[in-house]
Amino acid sequence: AHATANLELPVEVIQDNDEARIEVHRKPLGVVGSITPWNFPLMIAIWHTMPALRSGNTVVIKPSEYTPLTTLRAAQIINELLPPGVFNIVTGDGSLGAAISQHPDINKIVFTGSTATGKKIMQSASAGLKRITLELGGNDAAIVLPDTDVAAAAPKIFATALFNNGQTCAALKRLYVHEDIYDEMCQALAAIASSVTTGDGSGDVDFGPIQNKAQYERVLELAGEARESGAKFLTGGEVPEGPGYFYPVTIVADIDDDQRLVKEEPFGPILPVLKFSDVEDALRRANDSNVGLGGSVWSSDVERATELAGRLECGTAWVNGHAMIQPNAPFGGVKESGIGVEFGRYGLEEYTSIQTLQVAKG
């Protein structure tokens, strides 16, 4: 929040001579409608609304119907400081989000969530030519080159694939590992997965439940199809007894690219590990997706990895890391992973329109 609050969009002078002075001004759009997801409800609410307020807009925010409470409490605190009507919150189901995206008095929609919902919002917003920023689903691929130090990389890969129980848009979701170190990497990831516990939080646990029933059933469905196809489950894959949407951390090896677990985003604690022999083939397979949020290349040869990372078709590419998002670096997707970016000056500009001011001289 502070990183955004400290930003400025100064007037840019692009000409000042005997003929004219031409300035570029950034103007607020008006009312920004923010529609946030359930996976990081408070954090994403701040990501959406801080740049909106900083650039002089007012806000109407609608949190996910699964997770409204933290955002409601944030709105209470914010409204102790802001004038009435600047920061507004409404809660309800998806029909309310549709109403916001159609509303004629809302000038911009910022949305984080699924690609399918993002397309509906874009369609609704088109009636009034609303500005939009859409941060949609990903299916991030990582390519692990044969010179990678497996012992050093495996914990980082595990952490960036499974944090928040895999319910993160920019989490590592498809892991392509060179055949020379494939077995070693699979064993290392399985060892970590076997060492963590999933449970209800009453004891000493590392992972909790999947957030909601629909998401839980999706993970079960994709995992079940992978198992039926002959994929090898190195850990997890078995639903524990008792109530709740609990699913253990699951590492899947020897799986084909055409499986839904690889082609679609599971958004849960399950990671498919795929083998490659030729790096150009791995790059082709990584890019063979309708989405492109993030991607990464892992290697001890940073220069080589950087060159390959630059060829990934995604909004953010990392070398020897993944899902590292920070408030001064723009973040957004290509293909069906969205439109526009968040964070930094680039993200702040999306909450403004340009006015060119030309003053004739002489």
Side-chain angles (χ1 to χ4, degrees):
H2 270 289
T4 302
N6 293 334
L7 291 172
E8 294 185 0
L9 293 174
V11 173
E12 181 185 356
V13 179
I14 60 172
Q15 181 179 322
D16 190 12
N17 58 18
D18 294 342
E19 295 174 1
R21 178 178 172 90
I22 304 176
E23 300 174 347
V24 177
H25 293 251
R26 289 277 175 179
K27 299 291 187 76
L29 294 169
V31 182
V32 172
S34 161
I35 303 172
T36 55
W38 49 256
N39 60 336
F40 291 98
L42 180 60
M43 185 169 71
I44 292 175
I46 292 168
W47 288 358
H48 282 193
T49 58
M50 276 303 300
L53 297 172
R54 179 67 186 93
S55 49
N57 301 280
T58 59
V59 168
V60 178
I61 187 168
K62 191 219 84 84
S64 166
E65 58 268 38
Y66 295 117
T67 54
L69 297 181
T70 50
T71 317
L72 280 163
R73 180 66 182 122
Q76 281 184 326
I77 295 167
I78 289 167
N79 277 308
E80 291 172 5
L81 302 170
L82 292 179
V86 173
F87 190 96
N88 312 276
I89 184 166
V90 288
T91 58
D93 62 15
S95 64
L96 187 56
I100 288 172
S101 59
Q102 292 168 2
H103 198 288
D105 292 332
I106 293 175
N107 308 92
K108 176 185 171 73
I109 301 292
V110 53
F111 169 74
T112 299
S114 73
T115 295
T117 304
K119 288 178 179 180
K120 291 177 184 174
I121 287 171
M122 188 173 181
Q123 195 169 13
S124 299
S126 70
L129 287 182
K130 295 190 199 315
R131 305 297 188 264
I132 51 173
T133 298
L134 303 176
E135 201 272 272
L136 308 178
N139 193 12
D140 288 15
I143 298 172
V144 184
L145 300 184
D147 60 3
T148 302
D149 181 342
V150 172
K156 295 177 183 176
I157 288 171
F158 183 89
T160 54
L162 279 311
F163 75 102
N164 205 39
N165 229 13
Q167 300 169 119
T168 307
C169 56
L172 195 165
K173 308 242 172 55
R174 297 177 287 148
L175 185 65
Y176 293 90
V177 182
H178 191 272
E179 60 187 2
D180 290 355
I181 57 169
Y182 181 81
D183 291 340
E184 186 186 353
M185 179 62 77
C186 286
Q187 290 167 10
L189 292 170
I192 300 169
S194 298
S195 73
V196 300
T197 54
T198 297
D200 64 7
S202 59
D204 184 15
V205 300
D206 303 294
F207 292 88
I210 294 171
Q211 206 277 338
N212 58 77
K213 185 179 182 182
Q215 199 59 47
Y216 173 72
E217 290 176 346
R218 175 174 172 78
V219 171
L220 293 186
E221 185 179 320
L222 296 186
E225 288 184 17
R227 190 186 291 280
E228 287 173 16
S229 79
K232 187 176 181 183
F233 280 61
L234 302 179
T235 63
E238 300 293 336
V239 176
E241 292 183 8
Y245 304 138
F246 294 100
Y247 193 81
V249 175
T250 302
I251 307 295
V252 181
D254 301 338
I255 184 169
D256 294 328
D257 286 50
D258 61 1
Q259 282 298 305
R260 286 180 64 204
L261 181 59
V262 179
K263 295 183 75 68
E264 301 178 23
E265 178 184 39
F267 222 65
I270 183 166
L271 177 67
V273 189
L274 302 107
K275 187 185 294 184
F276 75 89
S277 54
D278 175 66
V279 71
E280 290 297 325
D281 179 56
L283 198 62
R284 179 192 59 77
R285 291 159 68 190
N287 286 335
D288 184 20
S289 175
N290 66 326
V291 290
L293 192 57
S296 60
V297 179
W298 301 70
S299 173
S300 59
D301 184 345
V302 172
E303 189 175 340
R304 169 76 169 134
T306 302
E307 185 268 328
L308 288 169
R311 295 170 61 199
L312 287 169
E313 295 169 0
C314 53
T316 303
W318 294 277
V319 172
N320 293 329
H322 202 105
M324 295 178 292
I325 299 167
Q326 56 192 62
N328 59 344
F331 176 75
V334 299
K335 302 182 184 179
E336 292 190 15
S337 283
I339 292 174
V341 296
E342 297 184 271
F343 310 138
R345 177 177 60 82
Y346 304 92
L348 187 60
E349 287 176 348
E350 297 214 4
Y351 292 80
T352 66
S353 59
I354 285 178
Q355 183 182 54
T356 302
L357 181 62
Q358 185 161 341
V359 182
K361 294 182 181 179

